[in-house]
Structure formats: structure tokens, C-alpha cells
Amino acid sequence: MGENEWDRYVRELVEREKKAKNQCYQLAKKYFPEDEFEIKRVNAYFDDQGRVRCLVDFKNKYFDPFDCGDYCWASAYSDEEYEECVETCEENLEAALTNSVEFLTDGTVLEATIAGDCGPAWCYEDEEYEEFERRRKEFFDKFDKIGCKISEGWIHPHELIGGAEWEEPPATCFYHMEAKKEGMCRVDKVLDAMKEVW
């Protein structure tokens, strides 16, 4: 490959990547409107089949699982400890509440981790286990119907500030999902289903 050919190849590659990133940015604006979401980062890359994959990190502006000030008030012994606790908690909570979704340009979710309320994943103290199982199944069935495989995990305030405490509310749950097959588990449908836990 001559020098001119190499330069042309590099220019074409750069242009292709720029177009892919712009396409992903436009899709991110469509799926995550600014009145509800804050888009933190948009990236694009090509898979081994030459398809554009979009990676979007975003935050739901209205999901606020617990107040760091209230939580730290109960566990700090001095004003200095309280301020340090709140600062650490808020920094870590901001990172924990930044969701991530990787999808194809047709909207198929390849992989996502989205923070939400723990209601569907946890049994309440005064709740019969059968009722909890029914609630959990209903929530997970929503994702099954739109073609998603889903699982969950969670994080507690004490894990954001350090220290060991009982695993009890408050907590933030993370719902991990991916499409069962291409064309299913679309970003817009996933966000609709997540409204129950926001």
C-alpha cells in the first residue's frame, strides 16, 4: 500500500468511526431524552461482523434511592466524620447510579446494567413469601416478554462509604439484561419496563 493509499485508508477509517459515533449519539438522544436522563458518555465501535455497536452511559435524573446526609447522620460521630461520609457517599453513589447499555443501531440490547429500586428483587418484612414471588415473577416476566434475559444484584449505603453493616434497606438494585436474540430486548422497551423501579 503506497503512502497516498495509506493516507486515504486512514482518512476513510476516521470518517467511518466519526459517522458511527454520530449515529450512536443521535440514537442516545432519541432513547434518553434530556428531560429524563443525563447522558454521561457515548462511544461507538465496530464488532467483528462490521456492525456498529453503541455504548451509552447515562443517569436517570429522578431516581434517588437514598439520601447520603440522612444515612451518614446515623453513622458519624463528629461533624468532620459526617462531612467526609457525605462526600464519599455522594461521589460513590453518582458512580453507582451511572447506568450502561450497549446496543446495536436497531436498538437490540447486547448488555445493560441499570440501577433501580429493589422492590421486585427483595421480600418486604411484613410480606408473605408467596406474594413476593408473585411480584418478582411479574416484574421479570415483563422483560421475558420483550425478549430479555435479566438478573439482579444490589449495593447498600455502607458499601459506598466503607464499613460493615447488616444487609438491609436502603439499597440500590442493579438489573443486568441482554437480548435473547437479535431484534429483541430493545432499548426503548427496556426503559419502559424499568419505569416500575424508578
Side-chain angles (χ1 to χ4, degrees):
M1 193 181 283
E3 193 172 328
N4 287 340
E5 289 176 33
W6 175 255
D7 289 346
R8 187 168 54 249
Y9 171 76
V10 169
R11 266 196 316 275
E12 286 171 1
L13 188 62
V14 167
E15 190 59 33
R16 185 174 173 234
E17 288 176 351
K18 195 187 296 183
K19 281 182 183 174
K21 186 156 187 179
N22 184 55
Q23 184 180 20
C24 289
Y25 181 72
Q26 295 307 319
L27 288 168
K29 282 178 27 179
K30 172 186 161 187
Y31 291 129
F32 307 102
E34 65 180 20
D35 60 326
E36 293 179 65
F37 302 100
E38 179 186 352
I39 297 172
K40 299 281 199 174
R41 180 178 64 142
V42 178
N43 272 334
Y45 62 97
F46 298 93
D47 64 17
D48 54 7
Q49 298 171 48
R51 299 176 304 180
V52 175
R53 291 184 174 209
C54 301
L55 180 61
V56 178
D57 293 343
F58 68 97
K59 187 176 175 193
N60 180 322
K61 289 181 175 180
Y62 302 104
F63 177 62
D64 190 13
F66 54 83
D67 182 88
C68 286
D70 290 346
Y71 185 79
C72 288
W73 187 257
S75 59
Y77 297 104
S78 67
D79 289 346
E80 188 179 308
E81 277 185 357
Y82 173 76
E83 287 169 18
E84 187 178 315
C85 174
V86 170
E87 185 180 336
T88 301
C89 177
E90 286 177 349
E91 282 176 13
N92 291 332
L93 188 58
E94 175 71 17
L97 297 183
T98 299
N99 309 294
S100 186
V101 61
E102 181 183 350
F103 58 93
L104 297 175
T105 55
D106 71 352
T108 301
V109 173
L110 300 169
E111 189 175 357
T113 299
I114 304 176
D117 182 76
C118 290
W122 281 20
C123 185
Y124 298 118
E125 246 180 75
D126 58 349
E127 183 179 37
E128 295 290 329
Y129 189 74
E130 292 75 17
E131 175 61 18
F132 160 65
E133 280 296 321
R134 184 194 60 73
R135 278 191 315 101
R136 187 175 190 278
K137 183 178 182 325
E138 279 178 9
F139 180 72
F140 277 63
D141 282 351
K142 284 183 183 182
F143 290 90
D144 189 57
K145 285 176 186 164
I146 59 172
C148 302
K149 287 188 266 185
I150 182 172
S151 61
E152 86 277 339
W154 50 82
I155 189 167
H156 296 81
H158 71 82
E159 293 170 287
L160 299 174
I161 64 170
E165 293 189 22
W166 292 104
E167 304 293 53
E168 61 186 4
T172 302
C173 278
F174 298 94
Y175 299 94
H176 309 283
M177 62 211 70
E178 62 186 58
K180 293 180 184 179
K181 64 181 184 180
E182 198 172 318
M184 301 176 85
C185 195
R186 297 173 55 85
V187 176
D188 52 348
K189 302 287 187 192
V190 164
L191 295 177
D192 279 346
M194 285 297 295
K195 284 179 180 169
E196 182 180 326
V197 292
W198 280 338

